[in-house]
Amino acid sequence: MATTEGIKIGGTKGHNEEVENDPIFITIYNSFRWKMIPNCTGRYTCRDHKAVSYLKPKMLLDAAGVDSASVDELQQYYVTFDAGIRKDPIYVVPFAENRLTGLITYVKRDDDGGCVSYVHTLNSESGFQLDSRLLDN
């Protein structure tokens, strides 16, 4: 739901209701269909997975209509983990320097390690803060 301050999101499935004001978040949220991740406040997975699973994070931003100058300015982090912690590497794209909102994309490979697909999660301030701590190390 749009408001003069931003868009209202959450409020069900274990999510707190929030008003999100970040223009990049709003553009992406309105460009694709998103589903709340149950009991993960502020985290959404893309329902249009088949249409976007081949797109790297910055390509997704382009496809959503975020202007290319804004996309070029964004930092993109590629994070890998020890095998015992997490199998899939991730891309983390904060939408601003303050790292309040952003995109976290899981890189999925087939069993042979070849074919890659991407699972995009859109994160409001409450959802992104949990994962952006990875970037502070």
Side-chain angles (χ1 to χ4, degrees):
M1 166 187 253
T3 71
T4 56
E5 299 87 35
I7 58 171
K8 282 186 182 179
I9 57 174
T12 62
K13 295 185 181 180
H15 283 235
N16 297 326
E17 186 173 288
E18 304 176 78
V19 175
E20 186 51 62
N21 299 308
D22 183 281
I24 295 174
F25 182 100
I26 293 169
T27 299
I28 296 170
Y29 189 85
N30 289 329
S31 296
F32 300 104
R33 296 175 308 136
W34 297 91
K35 176 176 74 170
M36 288 183 254
I37 299 173
N39 301 313
C40 292
T41 292
R43 302 200 63 209
Y44 301 82
T45 187
C46 190
R47 285 183 160 188
D48 298 318
H49 180 72
K50 287 184 180 180
V52 301
S53 64
Y54 66 94
L55 298 174
K56 286 186 175 181
K58 286 192 172 184
M59 293 171 67
L60 178 77
L61 299 173
D62 285 332
V66 176
D67 75 76
S68 59
S70 295
V71 172
D72 291 342
E73 290 178 12
L74 296 175
Q75 294 290 319
Q76 177 174 271
Y77 302 90
Y78 185 74
V79 182
T80 58
F81 303 92
D82 291 331
I85 296 173
R86 179 181 282 160
K87 176 183 166 186
D88 301 319
I90 60 173
Y91 283 101
V92 180
V93 183
F95 294 155
E97 237 177 87
N98 60 14
R99 299 180 180 167
L100 293 179
T101 60
L103 188 68
I104 299 173
T105 299
Y106 297 84
V107 180
K108 302 287 189 179
R109 299 189 186 282
D110 64 15
D111 291 335
D112 298 328
C115 188
V116 173
S117 67
Y118 302 96
V119 178
H120 302 288
T121 63
L122 183 61
N123 300 270
S124 68
E125 183 173 350
S126 62
F128 197 60
Q129 295 307 303
L130 299 172
D131 290 282
S132 66
R133 289 178 296 179
L134 297 168
L135 307 181
D136 294 330
N137 296 330

